[in-house]
Amino acid sequence: MSSSLYIHHLRSAYRSGQLTPTSLVEELLERSARYTDHAIWITPPQREHLLMCTRELEGQDMEGLPLYGVPFAIKDNMDLVDVPTTCACPDFAYTPKNSAMVVQKLIDAGAIAMGKTNLDQFATGLNGTRSPYGACRNAFAPDYISGGSSAGSAVAVALGLASFSLGTDTAGSGRVPAAFNNLVGLKPTCGLLSTSGVVPACRSLDSVSIFALSAQDAQRVFAAALGEDTSDPYSRTTQPHGFDFGRAPRFRFGVPAAKDLNFFGDDQYGRLFEASVTRLESLGGERVELDFAPFLETARLLYGGPWVAERYHAIRSFINTYPDALFPVTRDITLGGAKPLAADAFAALYRLQELKRKCDYIWQQVDCVLTPTAGTIFTRAQLLAEPVARNTDLGYYTNFMNLLDYAAVAVPAGFRVDGLPFGVTLFAQAHQDVPLLHLAERWQLTDSVPNGAVETMPPPVEIVPAAVPSGQVRVAVVGAHLSGLPLNHQITSRGGRLISDTSTASCYRLYALTDGKRPGLIRVAHGGKAIGCEVWEMSAAAFGSFVNGIPAPLGIGTVELFDGSHVNGFICEGVGITNAVDITDFKGWRAYLRSIQG
C-alpha cells in the first residue's frame, strides 16, 4: 500500500474503511526508515507512542475532527508536550510540559504529531546546513541544500513522511525550503497563528508557517490553526481579507522590474520565472512592472541592521554563558546583535517606516506580487564554502516580507533540466492569506508537471470553506450606476470592483421613473423577464455609506440572478412606478437609453 497523503484523499480512505490511522502510521514508520541519511528528524517518530495516539483517535468521530488522522511534523523550535525542544542545540534542550498553542490546536483537530524536525540552529539561516544533527538533504538531489531554517519540516513532507508540517518564518524559512522541495509554503500574516511555545528568533517578526502538498491542504491547516491567543502579545485578531483576487476572473499582479531581478547566474531559474509570469497572465492576471528597490533595501535591514539584536536577545543568557555550544557561523551572527546601540535601532525603525510607505504604494496598482522564491539553489559544498554570502543570496526575495507585514505563499513552478525544483512566491498585504491561497490553488490546478516526489497527481477539485470572511458585499446595479454611466463613480470611489456583467432571473419588470434618469426594478409573480445588470463588490463599510445615499423610491433589497443566486441589489417601491414607463422589453437600462438617444 502506498497511501496518498493529500488530506482529502486520507479522509476519503478513512470514511471508506480502506485505511485507518494505525495502518497509515505503520506505513509511514516504514517509509521514514528509508531516509535516515537525510538528517530530517531530531526526535524521529516513536512507534509505541504513535500507535497509542492512533488507537485513541480511532475511538472518536472523524466528522467532528477536520484533520482526523492527518500526520504532521513539527520544527524543533516549537514545543510538543514531553518531547525535548532543542532548537538544534543539544545544550539548550528542555522538555516542555505543554505543547505550543498552534501544535495543540492541530492535535485537537485530529492531526497526528509524527516527530520533531531538524533546523538551522536557533532558526538562523535559510539553507539547512547549520545543525549538529547533520545537514538536511534536499528531497530531489542529496548534494544540494534543502533550504532552511525549516529544513526537516519541508523534506519530511516532500518525501511523503507527513501530509503537512509546521515551520517558522522570520526571513524566508517557510518559503525557501518549500521552493527547493517542490511544496506549498504558507507564511501567514504575522500574529494570526500563535507563537506561544515557540522559541523566538526575532520575536516581533516571527511567523509560524505551514508546508503542504497543496494550497488546498495548506488552507485546511491554516483554518484549524487560526485563533487569537491572549498569552501571545503579538497575536492578532483575523480581519476580513477584502477583494478575493484569487478567485476573480481578472486581477493585477506586480513583478519586479528587470533591473531588480537577480538569478545569480542561474539562467534556467530566470527562464522558469518568465514562464511563471506568462502562466499567471493565463489565469486572468494583468502584469504590472514594479520598482523593487525599496523592497530590496528593506530586505537588507533584516541582517544588516539592528534586528539581529532581537536574535541575540532571544538567547542572550544562554549564548553569553555557553558561546561554544553554538555553530560558529550561528554564534557570530547572533553575537553581532550585541553591538547595535538603541539609537541605531530607532534610526532603522525610522528608515523602515519610510520604506514601508514607498512599498505600500504598490497596493494602489496591484492586488498581489509575484517573485521567484529564491534566485538559485546551491550545492551543500557551495553553501559551506561561503555560508554568509550564499545565505544572503537566498534571502534576496524573502527578507523584506515580515518587516513590511505582508502575507505570502510559495508555490511550485517547474523544474530545471537537472530535476531540481523552482518555485515562486505570491505576496499581498496583511490579512489577505485566503485570496493568496485561492490563487495558489488555481495555479496548482493548471499544473500538468508531476512533482516527482511521492505524490504525482494534482490535488482534487474541492471547495474548502474560507478560513476568514471576506468582509465584502456584492450589489447588483441596473441603472445609472452601471459602468460608464453618470453615477458609477459612487461605486468606484468607494473601492468597488466589477465582478460580472450578467442578468437577473426572469421574474422582474423594469420601469423608467418619471425623472427620466433612473430605472425602477420590480419583482413580479407573472410576466417578468431577465433584466441586464452588473454585480459589483465593495467593503461592508463602503456599502453602508453607499446605501445611505440612495434616494426614494429606490432602495436596496435582495435580487435573484439568472443562475439562481441572490445578491443585494437595487429595487423600487411600488409607489415609485406610478406614471413610470414600462421598459421591460428593452431588457436593460443601456438598451433603453440607446433607444431614446437614437
Side-chain angles (χ1 to χ4, degrees):
M1 177 177 65
S2 182
S3 303
S4 166
L5 293 184
Y6 286 115
I7 296 175
H8 174 67
H9 290 166
L10 286 179
R11 291 183 67 83
S12 295
Y14 288 147
R15 286 194 185 100
S16 69
Q18 294 176 339
L19 189 69
T20 65
T22 296
S23 61
L24 176 65
V25 163
E26 292 278 21
E27 179 182 344
L28 296 182
L29 287 167
E30 292 180 12
R31 194 180 290 176
S32 184
R34 303 173 202 158
Y35 297 109
T36 55
D37 61 342
H38 276 64
I40 296 169
W41 305 100
I42 290 179
T43 300
Q46 305 295 307
R47 186 175 188 276
E48 292 306 316
H49 173 73
L50 286 169
L51 294 182
M52 181 182 68
C53 291
T54 59
R55 286 191 291 268
E56 180 180 342
L57 188 62
E58 287 164 3
Q60 301 182 51
D61 178 14
M62 70 170 289
E63 299 308 325
L65 299 171
L67 298 178
Y68 176 91
V70 179
F72 75 109
I74 304 165
K75 185 176 180 177
D76 198 16
N77 64 342
M78 56 185 74
D79 292 344
L80 176 63
V81 61
D82 295 331
V83 177
T85 298
T86 73
C87 291
C89 181
D91 291 335
F92 177 81
Y94 64 92
T95 301
K97 295 181 179 180
N98 298 289
S99 294
M101 175 69 76
V102 66
V103 171
Q104 190 60 52
K105 287 177 73 70
L106 297 172
I107 292 173
D108 290 346
I112 302 169
M114 296 297 293
K116 304 286 288 295
T117 57
N118 201 1
L119 66 150
D120 282 324
Q121 192 176 68
F122 290 109
T124 303
L126 289 173
N127 54 80
T129 69
R130 300 172 178 175
S131 171
Y133 297 93
C136 191
R137 298 189 175 197
N138 186 282
F140 289 79
D143 289 338
Y144 280 80
I145 61 172
S146 59
S149 61
S150 310
S153 289
V155 176
V157 177
L159 291 178
L161 311 183
S163 291
F164 72 91
S165 62
L166 295 180
T168 57
D169 190 314
T170 305
S173 298
R175 291 160 281 153
V176 172
F180 290 169
N181 294 280
N182 206 48
L183 300 172
V184 170
L186 173 65
K187 188 217 75 68
T189 298
C190 289
L192 292 191
L193 302 189
S194 170
T195 56
S196 292
V198 179
V199 178
C202 291
R203 192 176 183 190
S204 67
L205 301 177
D206 293 340
S207 175
V208 173
S209 63
I210 297 166
F211 296 101
L213 294 166
S214 72
Q216 194 175 86
D217 281 2
Q219 185 173 331
R220 289 179 184 272
V221 177
F222 179 57
L226 270 176
E228 190 172 6
D229 177 8
T230 56
S231 66
D232 175 7
Y234 285 93
S235 179
R236 297 159 80 173
T237 304
T238 55
Q239 300 296 319
H241 59 67
F243 171 57
D244 190 351
F245 54 82
R247 288 190 170 157
R250 296 286 181 268
F251 59 94
R252 295 168 297 172
F253 69 96
V255 294
K259 68 179 179 62
D260 297 320
L261 289 170
N262 192 343
F263 297 99
F264 308 97
D266 191 334
D267 293 339
Q268 291 188 59
Y269 263 28
R271 287 191 293 272
L272 287 165
F273 182 66
E274 290 176 9
S276 298
V277 173
T278 301
R279 182 170 168 183
L280 200 56
E281 289 175 326
S282 75
L283 296 179
E286 177 187 346
R287 169 181 176 166
V288 178
E289 191 170 280
L290 303 174
D291 177 8
F292 224 60
F295 295 87
L296 299 178
E297 183 179 345
T298 301
R300 291 191 290 271
L301 285 176
L302 189 61
Y303 282 100
W307 274 272
V308 72
E310 258 197 303
R311 291 186 179 272
Y312 172 65
H313 178 269
I315 57 170
R316 181 177 183 175
S317 176
F318 179 78
I319 195 172
N320 286 346
T321 306
Y322 306 104
D324 293 336
L326 276 71
F327 256 47
V329 64
T330 307
R331 180 177 63 242
D332 293 345
I333 291 169
T334 307
L335 287 176
K339 298 175 182 177
L341 301 173
D344 298 325
F346 280 106
L349 286 168
Y350 299 154
R351 183 55 182 156
L352 175 60
Q353 194 65 22
E354 293 168 354
L355 290 168
K356 182 167 173 55
R357 176 65 65 88
K358 293 180 180 179
C359 293
D360 284 353
Y361 177 74
I362 68 165
W363 305 122
Q364 299 178 34
Q365 308 170 61
V366 299
D367 301 303
C368 62
V369 177
L370 177 74
T371 70
T373 299
T376 190
I377 185 171
F378 299 111
T379 64
R380 287 189 292 155
Q382 287 173 315
L383 195 289
L384 293 172
E386 297 182 278
V388 175
R390 297 292 75 81
N391 195 85
T392 299
D393 294 342
L394 294 174
Y396 186 86
Y397 298 105
T398 63
N399 285 352
F400 58 81
M401 204 72 72
N402 287 358
L403 285 167
L404 295 173
D405 194 21
Y406 296 155
V409 60
V411 289
F415 294 85
R416 296 196 320 191
V417 295
D418 59 4
L420 283 165
F422 169 73
V424 293
T425 291
L426 296 159
F427 73 85
Q429 296 180 83
H431 299 287
Q432 293 192 318
D433 311 74
V434 168
L436 286 169
L437 286 166
H438 287 166
L439 185 54
E441 181 180 358
R442 285 172 61 193
W443 174 282
Q444 283 195 296
L445 291 175
T446 65
D447 190 356
S448 61
V449 182
N451 71 17
V454 173
E455 301 287 353
T456 59
M457 297 296 290
V461 178
E462 182 188 17
I463 299 298
V464 176
V468 182
S470 70
Q472 299 290 97
V473 177
R474 292 190 172 184
V475 57
V477 301
V478 294
H481 289 93
L482 293 165
S483 302
L485 295 188
L487 298 184
N488 183 246
H489 70 91
Q490 293 181 357
I491 298 177
T492 57
S493 65
R494 290 174 166 83
R497 292 175 178 270
L498 178 63
I499 300 300
S500 63
D501 186 347
T502 183
S503 63
T504 70
S506 300
C507 54
Y508 292 92
R509 297 198 70 82
L510 191 67
Y511 295 84
L513 302 187
T514 54
D515 62 10
K517 298 177 181 179
R518 298 175 295 165
L521 186 71
I522 300 287
R523 187 180 181 112
V524 295
H526 305 285
K529 292 186 178 181
I531 305 299
C533 65
E534 291 176 351
V535 176
W536 288 74
E537 183 178 78
M538 66 185 77
S539 70
F543 179 70
S545 69
F546 175 67
V547 171
N548 189 55
I550 297 173
L554 300 182
I556 295 292
T558 300
V559 173
E560 183 180 356
L561 301 180
F562 82 98
D563 62 359
S565 64
H566 294 80
V567 296
N568 294 289
F570 276 85
I571 57 174
C572 184
E573 299 177 61
V575 68
I577 63 172
T578 303
N579 299 322
V581 178
D582 188 334
I583 60 171
T584 304
D585 289 341
F586 289 98
K587 297 183 179 179
W589 186 245
R590 291 187 194 276
Y592 168 71
L593 291 180
R594 286 195 295 270
S595 73
I596 63 176
Q597 291 167 357

